[in-house]
């Protein structure tokens, strides 16, 4: 039984006398609407989710099961939680009722359907998605109301705020904050919020692929020689319905047309679960004339996609020149989808449905379709176990784009490409800038589609909080996570369902913060919002400091001087302007590109550099910064971090003609790229986080200027002696040769390495100290050997590493973080193989040792199985005592050493656990003796002389001293998130592997 409250019009005999009050009102039963409502409830606020449709989840539960993910790194918070729960569903044998798991394979869009490392599913059935959303709502007891907004007068304003909304049946709902999670942005007009519909001209925001795009529309295009006329080849017979005489303007000019809609049609070829599609009502063969002509022109397949979901179902989206998109049917003279009322939208959606049913019926039955095509499509029908109350047809039309808000900040193509990066990230996007076709028109005597643009983005990029809220001076209590302030092309990348869920969750967190501080949504301080988003698990990207406000591109001949033979390049995405320069990997020491300062650039500046990455790039590109105080020389690694602005540092300039940035290929070990240089002025007194220390000072000290360091600053003020300069007479030198010295007597010195000046130690031990004089300060040098992995890499020897353990390894961010650290220092030398076994203990580790470890002939092996060895299984898996776990561990160690006596084996203890309600609520209870298993790892490491990286004490101290932070890092009770790994695990890994000293 679902525990969320579901109200319909029938459940209320009459409209309430006054609006029902809530803290937050969410309008739209979409995936984003669900995410927003769940987050509001988790924040402890009252919330109502109003859905015009009885089924929740929008496109995610209506056939979009082949997720437009882009890159999995964008997932966080509730968005990631949704895909994780879908993954867990398909780990159950009972989930596979129409096929076996093995027969499904693992194909997804741009990656695996089931990512076993991240434990997410990006491909799933609609009914599974709906069940996950309903579960999320039920867990928070969210009130859900089915009802449609009164589009004519349903938004009631007072003092520039929405006071309440009214539904068509008269019910009213009041709120302190409102979130418009509808695909149409239906709250915007009534709230007096600026918005637009259609495509901007390129010139409006300095874009290159917006507006009408006839010449560039080469994908999903009709074949040549398809006649646009009623009688083929006869202009006098008139144009076919839906075909315009021309494109309506020049390429790059704006218009009010909408990209095409369709249903994400779900099909199956399982006879026992198949409902064949009948000829739709009102079927007219003439409506499919372009289909017949395209077939006559040579098209034999690809009339729609057949991307497979589990249980032999498809996500059948548009593809090709004539397909499921009903091009040009969502707008007309004086109207478009957004101007229609609810019933008119339903009627138009029905026309889209009949169009798509008609395509399938025609391909299966029409005698004008060759028999071989009919036979190839004959097996497909609708799944009987999906959309059972809607004729097995998806509930939600794919409204790809409708209203888009116009706020004080508009996301544009430049944000998608990374040329401009926003500092107030509330979520990441990574999908291509994707517009479907907008219209059909006559071109060179043939009918052609216009509007399809698909432009890749080089990296995940952040979306601005300012794009979720109206302009300053407009409605002060509305957040808009779908119809955000973005151009047509930027929206084409942002509009994907995982991003929608992330932006909706961020909107809900911002709404709660605005309520708590009685603020307008436009006034929510980002410095306070960002930590709350990160605590909720949101993926925001790196904090952005000093986004360039002045840019000098390589094509700016007035400010750029090129010496030597540089070549133009465009093959690697992510560059500024029309191209970048490269030295062709030749003429070392003879080529340079000098960038002079733009007019008005002087004083303190953040200097950033941009390049495009490739494995053939130089890792030591020479860069000179010529500034007021001289010349600073840098070696820049251009093999990584391409397609984005990379901060070189803070420098002071006078504006002199001799100042600027010079890139050269002196001593370069690969191709050198010269693209663009950026400058951002720095106010010496700017204090973004209001902690009493300027951004300039904080950046100089390596602190985050967007996160308050007030406690650290206070400590400095209270203990100035620790931070002053000392004379040699004040300093006692203490050298520790190894960390197992016996405790001393009364004058013993306690050495504790802490993470953040807190109580959690890296290691804690005592050594005797003989004082020959009074001392103020101890200077300590650790003499500990580095891991052979590090010493070998430093010597230039390639190394293969296998990481072996539980899901803490299989899906643990520590693996990628260590890989990034060492690969960044020693590029091209390190191979890391993740052989983690999610949900398995060391018994399975022994069983799979040959395939998972020995087959790779590793040089170094990391091992951790204690977490699952300590688990009390109830599914038939044998429980392991400490002696049995020890025996398995020794078996693994000895087998590795037998294969390669020189192999380095590194043991790890991992984190503590707790009974999290977001997990099993029994993670700790099911591991009552976990500490004993960790102690066994310590004993084995000591007995066998193995390196031990003992994380347990750090996690135990954090759990005891700061339980809120600990629980945020280990939200499900067992698995630390990436932030927790970076704060707790990574520093100790680096310290132990490097021997406590900088890498050579």
């Amino acid at each position: 039984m679902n525990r969320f409250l579901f109200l319909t019009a029938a459940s209320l005999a009459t409209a309430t006398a006054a609006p029902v009050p809530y803290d937050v009102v969410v309008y739209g039963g979409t995936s984003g609407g669900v995410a927003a409502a769940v987050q509001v409830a988790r924040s402890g606020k009252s919330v109502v989710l109003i859905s015009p449709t009885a089924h929740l989840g929008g496109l995610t539960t209506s056939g979009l099961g082949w997720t437009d993910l882009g890159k999995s790194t964008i997932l966080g918070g509730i968005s990631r939680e949704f895909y994780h729960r879908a993954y867990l569903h398909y780990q159950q044998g009972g989930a596979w009722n129409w096929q076996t798991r093995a027969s499904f394979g693992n194909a997804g869009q741009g990656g695996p359907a089931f990512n076993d490392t991240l434990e997410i599913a990006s491909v799933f059935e609609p009914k599974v998605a709906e069940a996950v959303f309903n579960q999320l709502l039920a867990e928070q007891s969210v009130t859900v109301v089915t009802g449609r907004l009164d589009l004519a007068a349903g938004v009631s304003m007072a003092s520039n705020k929405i006071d309440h909304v009214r539904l068509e049946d008269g019910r009213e709902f009041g709120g302190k904050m409102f979130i418009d999670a509808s695909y149409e942005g239906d709250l915007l007009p009534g709230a007096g919020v600026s918005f637009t519909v259609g495509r901007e001209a390129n010139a409006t925001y300095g874009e290159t692929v917006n507006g009408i795009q006839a010449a560039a529309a080469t994908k999903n295009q009709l074949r040549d020689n398809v006649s646009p006329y009623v009688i083929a080849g006869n202009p006098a017979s008139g144009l076919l319905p839906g075909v315009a005489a021309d494109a309506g303007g020049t390429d790059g000019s704006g218009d009010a047309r909408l990209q095409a809609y369709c249903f994400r049609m779900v099909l199956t070829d399982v006879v026992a679960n198949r409902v064949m599609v009948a000829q739709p009502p009102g079927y007219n063969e003439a409506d499919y004339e372009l289909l017949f002509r395209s077939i006559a022109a040579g098209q034999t397949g690809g009339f729609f996609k057949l991307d497979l979901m589990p249980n032999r179902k498809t996500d059948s989206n548009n593809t090709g020149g004539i397909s499921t998109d009903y091009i040009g049917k969502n707008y007309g003279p004086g109207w478009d989808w957004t101007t229609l009322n609810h019933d008119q939208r339903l009627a138009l959606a029905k026309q889209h449905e009949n169009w798509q049913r008609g395509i399938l019926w025609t391909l299966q039955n029409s005698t004008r379709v060759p028999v071989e095509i009919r036979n190839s499509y004959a097996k497909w029908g609708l799944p009987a176990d999906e959309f059972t109350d809607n004729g097995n047809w998806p509930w939600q039309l794919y409204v790809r784009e409708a209203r888009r808000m116009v706020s004080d900040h508009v996301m544009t193509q430049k944000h998608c490409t990374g040329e401009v990066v926003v500092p107030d990230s509330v979520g990441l996007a990574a999908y291509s800038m994707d517009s479907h076709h907008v219209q059909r028109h006559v071109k060179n005597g043939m009918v052609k589609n216009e509007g399809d643009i698909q432009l890749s983005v080089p990296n995940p990029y952040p979306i601005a909080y300012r794009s979720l809220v109206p302009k300053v001076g407009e409605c002060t209590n509305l957040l808009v996570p779908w119809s955000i302030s973005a151009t047509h092309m930027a929206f084409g990348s942002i509009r994907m369902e995982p991003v929608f869920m992330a932006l909706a969750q961020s909107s809900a967190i911002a709404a709660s913060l605005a309520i708590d501080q009685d603020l307008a949504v436009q006034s929510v301080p980002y410095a306070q919002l960002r930590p709350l988003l990160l605590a909720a698990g949101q993926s925001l990207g790196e904090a952005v400091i000093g986004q360039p406000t002045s840019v000098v591109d390589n094509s700016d001949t007035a400010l750029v001087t090129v010496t030597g033979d540089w070549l133009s390049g465009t093959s690697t995405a992510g560059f500024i302007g029309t191209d970048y320069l490269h030295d062709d990997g030749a003429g070392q020491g003879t080529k340079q590109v000098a960038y002079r300062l733009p007019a008005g650039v002087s004083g303190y500046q953040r200097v950033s550099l941009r390049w495009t990455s490739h494995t053939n790039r130089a890792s030591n590109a020479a860069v000179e910064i010529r500034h007021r105080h001289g010349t600073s020389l840098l070696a820049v690694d251009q093999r990584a971090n391409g397609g984005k602005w990379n901060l070189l540092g803070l420098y002071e300039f006078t504006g002199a003609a001799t100042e600027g940035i010079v890139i050269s290929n002196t001593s370069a070990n690969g191709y050198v790229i010269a693209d663009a240089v950026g400058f951002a002025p720095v106010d010496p007194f700017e204090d973004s986080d209001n902690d009493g220390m300027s951004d300039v000072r904080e950046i100089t000290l390596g602190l985050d200027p967007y996160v308050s360091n007030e406690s650290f600053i206070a400590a400095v003020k209270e203990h100035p002696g620790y931070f002053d300069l000392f004379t040699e007479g004040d300093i006692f030198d203490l050298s520790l040769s190894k960390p197992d010295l016996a405790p001393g007597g009364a004058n013993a010195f306690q050495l504790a390495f802490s993470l953040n000046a807190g109580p959690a130690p890296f290691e804690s031990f005592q050594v005797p100290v003989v004082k020959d004089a009074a001392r103020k300060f101890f200077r300590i040098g650790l003499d500990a050997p580095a891991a052979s992995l590090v010493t070998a890499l430093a010597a230039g020897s390639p190394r293969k590493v296998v990481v072996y353990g539980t899901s803490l390894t299989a899906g643990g961010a520590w693996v990628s973080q260590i890989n990034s650290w060492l690969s960044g220092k020693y590029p091209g030398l390190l191979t890391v193989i993740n052989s983690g076994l999610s949900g398995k203990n060391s018994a399975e580790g022994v069983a799979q040792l040959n395939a998972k470890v020995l087959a790779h002939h590793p040089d170094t092996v990391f091992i951790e199985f204690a977490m699952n060895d300590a688990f009390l299984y109830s599914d038939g898996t044998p429980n392991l005592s400490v002696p049995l776990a020890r025996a398995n561990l020794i078996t693994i160690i000895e087998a590795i050493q037998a294969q390669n006596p020189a192999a380095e084996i590194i043991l790890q203890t991992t984190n503590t656990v707790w009974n999290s309600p977001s997990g099993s609520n029994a993670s700790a209870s099911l591991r009552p003796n976990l500490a004993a298993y960790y102690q066994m790892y310590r004993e084995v490491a000591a007995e066998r002389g193995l390196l031990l990286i003992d994380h347990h004490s750090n996690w135990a101290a954090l759990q005891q001293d700061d339980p809120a932070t600990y629980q945020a890092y280990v939200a499900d009770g067992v698995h630390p998130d990436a932030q927790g790994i970076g704060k707790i695990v990574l520093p100790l890994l680096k310290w132990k592997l490097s021997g406590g000293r900088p890498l050579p």
Side-chain angles (χ1 to χ4, degrees), residues 295-341:
I295 292 172
Q299 184 175 356
T300 59
F303 297 100
F304 44 78
K305 292 184 178 181
L306 291 168
D307 295 327
L308 286 174
M309 299 186 292
N311 289 310
R312 293 300 301 176
K313 297 171 187 174
T314 73
D315 175 347
S316 291
N317 193 21
N318 182 84
T319 189
I322 179 77
S323 186
T324 57
D325 276 0
Y326 207 13
I327 298 175
K329 298 299 182 180
N330 51 2
Y331 62 85
W335 70 274
D336 61 61
W337 177 265
T338 71
T339 67
L340 302 180
N341 63 36

Side-chain angles (χ1 to χ4, degrees), residues 227-482:
S227 175
Y229 306 112
V230 175
I231 300 175
N234 182 3
S237 65
L239 293 170
L240 287 171
V243 179
D246 55 47
T250 60
D251 279 12
S253 60
D255 65 12
R257 299 181 179 96
L258 289 167
Q259 61 175 307
Y261 299 167
C262 70
F263 283 93
R264 297 291 283 241
M265 191 163 57
V266 181
L267 303 174
T268 185
D269 60 357
V270 176
V271 176
N273 191 39
R274 184 182 65 188
V275 177
M276 298 307 293
V277 172
Q279 187 183 89
Y283 176 84
N284 184 355
E285 186 178 84
D287 294 336
Y288 300 91
E289 184 61 30
L290 283 177
L291 174 65
F292 298 131
R293 293 185 185 184
S294 185
I295 292 172
Q299 184 175 356
T300 59
F303 297 100
F304 44 78
K305 292 184 178 181
L306 291 168
D307 295 327
L308 286 174
M309 299 186 292
N311 289 310
R312 293 300 301 176
K313 297 171 187 174
T314 73
D315 175 347
S316 291
N317 193 21
N318 182 84
T319 189
I322 179 77
S323 186
T324 57
D325 276 0
Y326 207 13
I327 298 175
K329 298 299 182 180
N330 51 2
Y331 62 85
W335 70 274
D336 61 61
W337 177 265
T338 71
T339 67
L340 302 180
N341 63 36
H342 294 292
D343 290 333
Q344 290 169 328
R345 289 175 184 172
L346 289 176
L348 185 53
K350 193 67 177 180
Q351 292 180 37
H352 281 71
E353 176 185 342
N354 288 338
W355 161 259
Q356 289 181 235
R357 286 177 178 267
I359 287 176
L360 183 56
W361 185 90
T362 300
L363 290 171
Q364 291 177 334
N365 296 281
S366 175
T367 57
R368 293 184 62 183
V369 175
V371 65
E372 58 270 19
I373 296 178
R374 277 183 274 158
N375 289 340
S376 68
Y377 284 90
K379 63 181 180 179
W380 296 106
L382 305 179
D385 61 349
E386 296 284 359
F387 319 115
T388 56
D389 59 354
N390 197 45
N392 309 112
W393 192 263
W395 303 296
Q396 174 66 55
L397 179 67
Y398 196 169
V399 178
R400 288 190 172 90
E401 185 175 356
R403 296 183 184 93
R404 301 190 313 279
M405 182 169 61
V406 180
S407 73
D408 290 325
H409 182 272
V410 180
M411 297 292 296
T412 72
Q413 177 185 343
K414 293 180 180 180
H415 296 105
C416 300
T417 60
E419 180 175 347
V420 178
V421 183
V422 300
D424 52 341
S425 172
V426 285
L428 300 178
Y431 201 77
S432 301
M433 286 177 277
D434 178 10
S435 171
H436 282 233
H437 283 300
V438 174
Q439 61 177 328
R440 290 193 167 106
H441 66 110
V442 179
K443 183 178 180 181
N444 300 326
M446 298 176 285
V447 59
K448 291 292 179 183
N449 300 331
E450 183 275 312
D452 189 295
I453 294 292
Q454 297 178 40
L455 188 66
S456 63
V457 301
N459 295 297
Y461 60 90
I463 300 159
Y465 173 70
R466 291 162 293 159
S467 290
L468 304 187
V469 298
K471 294 177 179 179
V472 172
E474 294 185 347
C475 183
T476 60
N477 67 338
L478 175 66
L479 295 110
V480 186
W482 174 261

Side-chain angles (χ1 to χ4, degrees), residues 156-231:
S156 179
M157 301 290 292
S159 301
N160 210 29
K161 294 181 178 181
I162 302 177
D163 179 75
H164 63 271
V165 295
R166 182 171 58 255
L167 307 186
E168 286 183 328
D169 59 15
R171 287 177 293 168
E172 296 182 342
F173 300 88
K176 299 173 184 175
M177 290 286 154
F178 291 79
I179 297 175
D180 187 340
S182 67
Y183 288 125
E184 291 81 10
D186 276 338
L187 296 185
L188 300 180
V193 173
S194 301
F195 65 87
T196 187
V197 176
R199 301 181 284 188
E200 297 89 353
N202 276 330
T204 304
Y205 294 103
E207 297 176 297
T208 63
V209 292
N210 210 336
I212 295 172
Q213 296 291 325
T218 58
K219 189 172 177 61
N220 294 322
Q221 187 55 269
L222 288 163
R223 293 168 178 259
D224 285 345
N225 302 316
V226 173
S227 175
Y229 306 112
V230 175
I231 300 175

Side-chain angles (χ1 to χ4, degrees), residues 495-514:
R495 63 180 171 83
M496 306 308 160
E497 292 284 289
V499 182
F500 185 15
M501 284 187 259
L503 297 183
Q505 184 179 9
S506 292
S507 296
I509 294 171
S512 295
L513 180 58

